[in-house]
């Protein structure tokens, strides 16, 4: 019997109309060609950093909107002061203007990785799977993600906790260039990550982690207002701590709200090692400050009266001012920017402040 010559219809991409891809950049986005099979069905929000008069070329066929510094100033007015300049932290403006339930953000030096069998990894699809399945922050499952096909809860796992909780963040990893700080880069200049670990796990409640923004998915409706990448880069005494700041704030708020964060799959291929000497200048103060910042976040408590992410974040800003403001005046400035960020978020998203992650009407 002759085979049909008609091609099988392509399956509809997951969450096609519920997810935006946010990309911060200073250059032409040729890297999108490699991602075309995975990204083309989705809407892109491109946040152009640096000189707004420079034209950024985007390959044909992508549905996108592009914002530069002039657009940010026009849309936010005086509140644009909370959006970093000359730092990838500018990406959080894309989170603010999105109207979708989910966000995937990726850096422009990240390419499609391959799994050990040689198959190209659809990173976006794996993030979506992570976000659509529950998390287990209150009790660790030794088989990692129990909701994954072929896995389950192990003997001794309380049945009362097996329903899990909503997943707010999916944190992906990287092959090739590791996400190291400048001192580690300097002593291990040739080190590459070749280790593919086929696992996803929920980060336990009460445990902090260093969040990397180059391969990240999150439920914007749940945790969006906490995904502020801080005041970094131009005019600030620190850089390269933007995603980590957002991660620490997000984690303590997720712990308070009863939501989960997953880390592990998917992998992307990180192609470009940034200059460790340039990075050291940006990170220098942060390397000292993190020894104060981490204990602060480990000890922070959010009052039970805080029932929205916005309320939690404003409370965090007060504690940042009170406790970290003594470390350096920068933190008083950052605390003020955190408040400005929430004010700007609520202006652009007036209906999102709902208790306990209730869906928007």
């Amino acid at each position: 019997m002759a085979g049909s010559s008609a091609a099988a219809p392509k399956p509809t991409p997951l969450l096609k109309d519920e997810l935006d891809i946010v990309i911060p950049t200073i250059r032409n986005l040729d890297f999108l060609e490699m991602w075309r099979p995975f990204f083309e069905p989705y809407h892109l929000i491109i946040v152009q950093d640096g000189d707004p008069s420079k034209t950024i070329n985007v390959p044909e066929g992508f549905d996108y909107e592009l914002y530069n510094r002039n657009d940010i100033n026009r849309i936010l007015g005086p509140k644009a002061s909370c959006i970093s300049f000359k730092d990838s932290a500018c990406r959080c403006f894309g989170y603010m203007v999105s109207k979708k339930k989910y966000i995937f953000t990726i850096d422009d030096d990240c390419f499609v990785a391959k799994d050990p069998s040689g198959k190209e990894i659809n990173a976006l699809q794996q993030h979506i799977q992570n976000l659509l399945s529950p998390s287990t922050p209150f009790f660790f499952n030794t088989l990692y993600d129990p909701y994954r096909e072929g896995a389950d809860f192990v003997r001794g796992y309380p049945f009362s906790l097996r329903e899990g909780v909503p997943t707010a963040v999916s944190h992906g990893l990287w092959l090739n260039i590791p996400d190291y700080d400048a001192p580690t880069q300097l002593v291990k200049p040739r080190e590459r990550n070749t280790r593919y670990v086929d696992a996803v796990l929920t980060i336990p409640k009460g445990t902090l982690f260093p969040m990397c923004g180059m391969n990240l998915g999150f439920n914007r409706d749940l945790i969006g207002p906490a995904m502020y990448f801080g005041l970094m880069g131009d005019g600030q005494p620190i850089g390269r701590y933007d995603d980590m700041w957002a991660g620490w704030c997000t984690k303590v708020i997720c712990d308070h709200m009863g939501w989960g964060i997953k880390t592990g799959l998917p992998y992307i291929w990180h192609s470009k090692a940034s200059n460790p000497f340039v990075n050291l200048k940006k990170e220098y103060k942060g390397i000292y400050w993190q020894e104060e910042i981490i204990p602060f976040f480990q000890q922070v408590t959010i009052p039970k009266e805080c029932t929205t992410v916005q309320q939690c974040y404003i409370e965090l800003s007060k504690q940042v001012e009170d406790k970290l403001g003594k470390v350096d005046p920068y933190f008083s400035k950052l605390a003020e920017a955190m408040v400005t960020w929430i004010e700007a978020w609520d202006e652009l998203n007036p209906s999102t402040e709902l208790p306990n992650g209730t869906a928007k009407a």
Side-chain angles (χ1 to χ4, degrees), residues 35-109:
W35 287 103
R36 187 181 290 278
F38 309 121
F39 288 2
E40 198 168 27
Y42 295 88
H43 180 66
L44 312 182
I45 299 177
I46 300 160
V47 184
Q48 178 182 342
D49 198 14
D51 182 1
S53 66
K54 182 181 175 184
T55 301
I56 298 284
N57 292 323
V58 182
E60 290 287 322
F62 287 94
D63 169 39
Y64 71 93
E65 52 192 305
L66 187 151
Y67 297 93
N68 62 30
R69 192 71 205 187
N70 293 338
D71 300 314
I72 294 171
N73 292 340
R74 173 176 51 81
I75 291 166
L76 295 185
K79 293 185 174 67
S81 62
C82 72
I83 305 297
S84 300
F85 188 52
K86 294 187 178 175
D87 191 280
S88 66
C90 67
R91 78 176 82 220
C92 61
F93 177 76
Y95 311 159
M96 188 186 279
V97 295
S98 171
K99 298 295 179 245
K100 304 288 177 60
K101 182 174 181 179
Y102 299 97
I103 295 286
F104 170 56
T105 186
I106 187 170
D107 285 1
D108 61 11
D109 60 355

Side-chain angles (χ1 to χ4, degrees), residues 208 247-257 297 300 302 316:
L208 295 171
W248 296 325
C249 293
T250 294
K251 185 59 167 67
V252 298
I253 291 174
C254 282
D255 285 354
H256 173 78
M257 300 293 276
F297 279 108
V300 78
I302 298 173
L316 261 185

Side-chain angles (χ1 to χ4, degrees), residues 45-337:
I45 299 177
I46 300 160
V47 184
Q48 178 182 342
D49 198 14
D51 182 1
S53 66
K54 182 181 175 184
T55 301
I56 298 284
N57 292 323
V58 182
E60 290 287 322
F62 287 94
D63 169 39
Y64 71 93
E65 52 192 305
L66 187 151
Y67 297 93
N68 62 30
R69 192 71 205 187
N70 293 338
D71 300 314
I72 294 171
N73 292 340
R74 173 176 51 81
I75 291 166
L76 295 185
K79 293 185 174 67
S81 62
C82 72
I83 305 297
S84 300
F85 188 52
K86 294 187 178 175
D87 191 280
S88 66
C90 67
R91 78 176 82 220
C92 61
F93 177 76
Y95 311 159
M96 188 186 279
V97 295
S98 171
K99 298 295 179 245
K100 304 288 177 60
K101 182 174 181 179
Y102 299 97
I103 295 286
F104 170 56
T105 186
I106 187 170
D107 285 1
D108 61 11
D109 60 355
C110 295
F111 296 87
V112 178
K114 292 182 179 178
D115 68 18
S117 74
K119 182 185 176 188
E120 290 195 333
I121 297 166
N122 184 345
L124 180 53
Q125 184 178 43
Q126 178 67 50
H127 276 296
I128 290 169
Q129 288 169 4
N130 291 349
L131 290 166
L132 293 182
S133 63
S135 288
T136 53
F138 306 120
F139 202 86
F140 191 82
N141 192 59
T142 50
L143 270 179
Y144 303 114
D145 193 338
Y147 304 101
R148 196 172 164 189
E149 190 177 343
D152 210 328
F153 292 94
V154 296
R155 182 170 55 91
Y157 201 101
F159 283 88
S160 58
L161 294 176
R162 294 190 182 193
E163 188 180 341
V165 299
T167 299
V169 181
S170 170
H171 179 257
L173 300 175
W174 358 262
L175 294 171
N176 196 34
I177 307 292
D179 187 32
Y180 285 160
D181 53 38
T184 311
Q185 277 184 300
L186 284 164
V187 297
K188 295 183 172 181
R190 292 182 179 84
E191 183 158 313
R192 299 293 180 264
N193 182 35
T194 58
R195 189 162 171 248
Y196 179 98
V197 181
D198 186 13
V200 176
L201 63 152
T202 298
I203 300 170
K205 182 180 180 181
T207 301
L208 295 171
F209 75 111
M211 189 173 84
C212 173
M214 74 170 95
N215 174 25
L216 185 71
F218 61 93
N219 184 325
R220 181 182 175 277
D221 279 4
L222 273 189
I223 200 64
M227 276 288 178
Y228 176 47
F229 277 47
L231 270 185
M232 303 279 158
D234 196 47
Q236 309 304 333
I238 184 174
R240 285 174 54 82
Y241 273 81
D242 49 335
D243 42 9
M244 286 182 281
W245 181 262
W248 296 325
C249 293
T250 294
K251 185 59 167 67
V252 298
I253 291 174
C254 282
D255 285 354
H256 173 78
M257 300 293 276
W259 302 327
I261 295 178
K262 292 185 176 186
T263 186
L265 302 180
Y267 284 91
I268 49 84
W269 182 268
H270 184 210
S271 69
K272 188 173 90 266
S274 45
N275 185 310
F277 295 100
V278 173
N279 290 347
L280 189 57
K281 278 187 178 178
K282 294 177 181 178
E283 293 175 359
Y284 180 76
K285 285 185 179 291
I287 290 166
Y288 285 99
W289 288 345
Q290 70 187 16
E291 302 307 323
E292 305 269 1
I293 296 170
I294 299 302
F296 164 78
F297 279 108
Q298 286 173 327
Q299 294 158 22
V300 78
T301 55
I302 298 173
K304 64 179 186 301
E305 291 77 25
C306 294
T307 57
T308 69
V309 172
Q310 282 93 327
Q311 289 168 355
C312 293
Y313 204 71
I314 294 296
E315 173 62 28
L316 261 185
S317 75
K318 292 173 184 171
Q319 296 190 36
V320 168
E321 165 66 44
D322 183 43
K323 301 279 174 51
L324 294 179
K326 298 167 186 169
V327 175
D328 192 273
Y330 164 75
F331 289 100
S332 297
K333 193 176 174 183
L334 176 57
E336 193 178 318

